[in-house]
Amino acid sequence: MVLSNAISDPRLNEKDDATGKPVFSTCVYGSRWTTQPIPKYSLPDDEMPPQIAYKLIKDDLQLDGNPVLNLASFVTTYMEEEAEKLMAENLSKNFIDYEEYPVSVELQNRCVNIIARLFNAPMDNPHSEAMGVSTIGSSEAIMLAVLAMKKLWQKRRIAEGKPTDKPNLVMSASVQVCWEKATRYLEIEEKFVYLTEGCYILDPEKAVELVDENTIGVCVILGSTYTGHYEDAKKVNELLKVKNEANGWDVPIHIDAASGGFVAPFVNHDLLWDFRLDLVRSINVSGHKYGLCYAGIGWAIWKSPKYLPEELIFNVNYLGSDQASFTLNFSKGAANVIAQYYVLIRNGRAGFTAIMTNLMQIADYLAQSLENTGVFEILSDRNGNGLPLVAFKLKLKDIHYDEFDVAQRLRERGWIVPAYTMAPNTQHVKLMRIVVREDFSRERCDILLTDITATIDLLNKLDKETLFKKRTTQASWNLLKSVTRATFGGVKNGSHKTNGVC
């Protein structure tokens, strides 16, 4: 048996020589930190025990939404334990340190090879091999691609003795906001192809009509953020090729495959959108969307080195070896790159096909179920012809509630289903969107459908006055949040994009 001693009062009252505070402490909720404000905007004077800091922050985070029920976002919310373990074991590695972490860099090389082949990059010429780089996400990848297109255009114009002060980029008005960031940051004119009701994607004819001698490229989206539709890259390629030849231009196509790059190759084999098209010179894809990785990984791929200007690549040796760098930032964690490689070799073509096929089936089931209610009209595509999501709007016109009311009631049940307005020129169209991710099972889908039905029943029973009060309360809360953001340095969104679309 082990003997225990009763601690004497002098020892209980003993102070730590370094801090002057009691050596013995109570539990988290009996400590002084529970009744005192936690420092929020300045560094505290004193230390806090690690278990207390952890628990207080964890308690705050309980007020966040549940990522599993966040059907607004494309970003992955589930990874296997083995992937999470690999990420945890490599959190301290700085990917940019090639000399110290050569295997991590090799894993990026393997990922670039796998993705380039998935996108059908030419593999027949050892002197013109595809190139690629890992990024924080598609936003960084798009910035790099736009920068490369602008630089190539400038070099051609200088060689021809022509001005380089008015570059423009042609794209649909439904592009994700990162495209507007790219054009604004890089001082490029935006040439938007505006949408029309019933056609919520890029019109190839209108896009090519906008192309002129100052156009650095045309953006084609493989998976619209708004409705999940694939834009017609093949048609754009055909029309643009004719215009290029007629005018002696070399305007390229960039494919924004942020969402669809890891979907279309596995469920729509006949769709021509990638490097098989002559004018497709660069593609971005998000590993943290349907690449099935947690947030923080994207990829930019170029068909050939000639489409990536050498002057944009920096060579440094102050980390111990010569290395080439083409990124917007320098340091970044290696864990996400490692996770992407795990997902690619873990699933293989068969695994990705099985997952994406299941997601498409669930999305089609959800779309049909919503349509069967007679309450909703489906705006997204089906049968693998678009992303695994369901975009829909209320079908009835003589009702006293709208899509935003439905979204708000669903949020009260825990679901985050965004309601938003369509892109410019079609902003009178209100819609909702449910993104079907890997962890969205048929069982969870049925629970959601039950809650949507219950929500509609409730809204039908509410009179206009009661609904107005609920809207007013919500509007007051939104105003309070806006004022709070402004008070602490918030800025007004300069984009024409609506909230809730990511």
Side-chain angles (χ1 to χ4, degrees):
M1 299 294 290
V2 178
L3 290 173
S4 298
N5 62 298
I7 301 173
S8 62
D9 290 341
R11 285 191 61 206
L12 285 172
N13 296 323
E14 183 180 350
K15 305 285 185 179
D16 185 287
D17 292 336
T19 66
K21 298 173 185 175
V23 173
F24 289 88
S25 179
T26 60
C27 66
V28 173
Y29 298 114
S31 68
R32 62 186 176 89
W33 288 279
T34 302
T35 58
Q36 296 179 0
I38 302 175
K40 294 181 177 67
Y41 309 114
S42 60
L43 194 67
D45 294 328
D46 298 323
E47 296 179 33
M48 182 184 294
Q51 70 275 17
I52 291 180
Y54 168 80
K55 192 66 175 72
L56 293 178
I57 295 172
K58 183 177 180 179
D59 286 351
D60 273 359
L61 290 173
Q62 297 294 334
L63 299 176
D64 271 348
N66 184 346
V68 171
L69 301 181
N70 180 8
L71 305 181
S73 176
F74 289 93
V75 177
T76 297
T77 54
Y78 163 79
M79 291 190 76
E80 292 177 330
E81 290 182 8
E82 292 80 3
E84 293 179 339
K85 185 178 179 181
L86 277 172
M87 294 182 75
E89 291 170 349
N90 291 278
L91 283 175
S92 61
K93 290 184 179 178
N94 183 6
F95 178 79
I96 202 65
D97 197 343
Y98 297 4
E99 177 75 8
E100 188 68 23
Y101 309 118
V103 177
S104 296
V105 177
E106 170 59 19
L107 295 191
Q108 175 190 264
N109 295 338
R110 296 177 189 179
C111 288
V112 167
N113 272 269
I114 292 170
I115 296 170
R117 284 175 166 81
L118 184 66
F119 295 167
N120 292 294
M123 293 295 168
D124 56 345
N125 186 350
H127 304 293
S128 184
E129 297 174 339
M131 300 184 70
V133 64
S134 63
T135 60
I136 300 301
S138 274
S139 292
E140 183 186 6
I142 286 168
M143 291 280 185
L144 297 176
V146 172
L147 188 59
M149 286 189 289
K150 180 181 179 181
K151 180 61 68 174
L152 286 174
W153 173 81
Q154 288 176 326
K155 291 174 68 175
R156 288 196 301 269
R157 299 283 289 178
I158 291 172
E160 296 168 356
K162 297 179 180 178
T164 62
D165 59 334
K166 294 182 179 180
N168 67 65
L169 183 67
V170 175
M171 52 190 165
S172 166
S174 63
V175 291
Q176 214 267 0
V177 70
C178 61
W179 281 95
E180 294 176 76
K181 289 183 180 179
T183 53
R184 194 171 304 176
Y185 295 170
L186 300 176
E187 298 183 318
I188 299 168
E189 178 191 355
E190 303 160 339
K191 282 193 151 186
F192 288 120
V193 179
Y194 289 100
L195 312 183
T196 58
E197 188 164 355
C199 181
Y200 303 117
I201 55 174
L202 184 82
D203 182 307
E205 285 82 6
K206 291 180 180 178
V208 176
E209 284 176 7
L210 291 175
V211 172
D212 58 30
E213 64 177 353
N214 291 315
T215 302
I216 67 171
V218 178
C219 165
V220 177
I221 309 171
L222 190 74
S224 165
T225 297
Y226 287 86
T227 60
H229 285 96
Y230 295 151
E231 294 182 340
D232 193 345
K234 181 173 179 289
K235 186 67 174 178
V236 173
N237 184 81
E238 292 172 356
L239 296 174
L240 185 55
K241 192 172 181 180
V242 172
K243 191 163 189 176
N244 276 346
E245 291 173 354
N247 293 278
W249 300 337
D250 188 25
V251 179
I253 296 172
H254 175 87
I255 303 293
D256 180 359
S259 300
F262 282 116
V263 178
F266 304 108
V267 295
N268 199 329
H269 309 289
D270 298 327
L271 184 67
L272 279 176
W273 63 273
D274 53 23
F275 289 127
R276 289 170 290 180
L277 299 175
D278 296 343
L279 295 179
V280 173
R281 307 281 173 75
S282 54
I283 301 174
N284 69 277
V285 65
S286 292
H288 59 222
K289 292 184 179 177
Y290 289 108
L292 309 181
C293 292
Y294 289 143
I297 184 68
W299 301 91
I301 310 291
W302 286 267
K303 183 183 287 188
S304 166
K306 65 182 179 181
Y307 303 123
L308 184 55
E310 291 184 4
E311 56 266 41
L312 296 180
I313 301 173
F314 289 83
N315 292 285
V316 298
N317 64 2
Y318 42 73
L319 288 177
S321 66
D322 292 326
Q323 58 193 60
S325 174
F326 183 40
T327 58
L328 294 182
N329 64 305
F330 195 63
S331 294
K332 70 175 180 181
N336 292 84
V337 174
I338 295 167
Q340 182 73 84
Y341 183 64
Y342 169 87
V343 169
L344 292 174
I345 67 168
R346 162 72 177 89
N347 289 307
R349 188 171 291 274
F352 267 99
T353 299
I355 292 169
M356 299 307 159
T357 299
N358 283 349
L359 296 187
M360 287 299 180
Q361 289 178 354
I362 293 171
D364 287 351
Y365 168 75
L366 176 58
Q368 189 61 53
S369 299
L370 289 172
E371 194 172 59
N372 290 344
T373 65
V375 176
F376 299 106
E377 177 184 342
I378 307 302
L379 301 178
S380 49
D381 218 329
R382 309 186 203 187
N383 302 316
N385 294 315
L387 296 177
L389 63 78
V390 181
F392 58 102
K393 65 177 183 177
L394 288 166
K395 188 176 182 179
L396 304 175
K397 303 299 182 183
D398 57 342
I399 51 178
H400 56 282
Y401 54 88
D402 63 11
E403 288 78 3
F404 290 88
D405 294 316
V406 177
Q408 185 57 40
R409 301 290 83 72
L410 285 174
R411 185 175 286 268
E412 292 173 1
R413 293 172 177 266
W415 300 102
I416 302 174
V417 179
Y420 50 97
T421 55
M422 194 61 77
N425 282 24
T426 52
Q427 288 177 318
H428 61 282
V429 178
K430 300 175 184 177
L431 68 158
M432 301 177 69
R433 187 193 67 201
I434 296 171
V435 177
V436 178
R437 297 191 303 270
E438 185 182 11
D439 57 349
F440 190 75
S441 64
R442 169 67 178 268
E443 179 65 23
R444 188 169 294 160
C445 180
D446 284 333
I447 296 172
L448 172 62
L449 284 167
T450 299
D451 282 346
I452 291 176
T453 300
T455 295
I456 295 300
D457 290 342
L458 173 63
L459 290 172
N460 284 331
K461 294 174 183 178
L462 289 177
D463 57 74
K464 290 185 179 180
E465 184 177 350
T466 302
L467 191 58
F468 176 77
K469 290 179 180 178
K470 286 180 173 289
R471 284 177 179 171
T472 304
T473 302
Q474 182 60 33
S476 299
W477 171 239
N478 289 336
L479 177 61
L480 177 61
K481 288 193 291 184
S482 299
V483 170
T484 302
R485 291 194 188 103
T487 301
F488 293 100
V491 294
K492 184 178 180 181
N493 175 21
S495 168
H496 64 232
K497 298 303 176 190
T498 53
N499 293 327
V501 182
C502 59

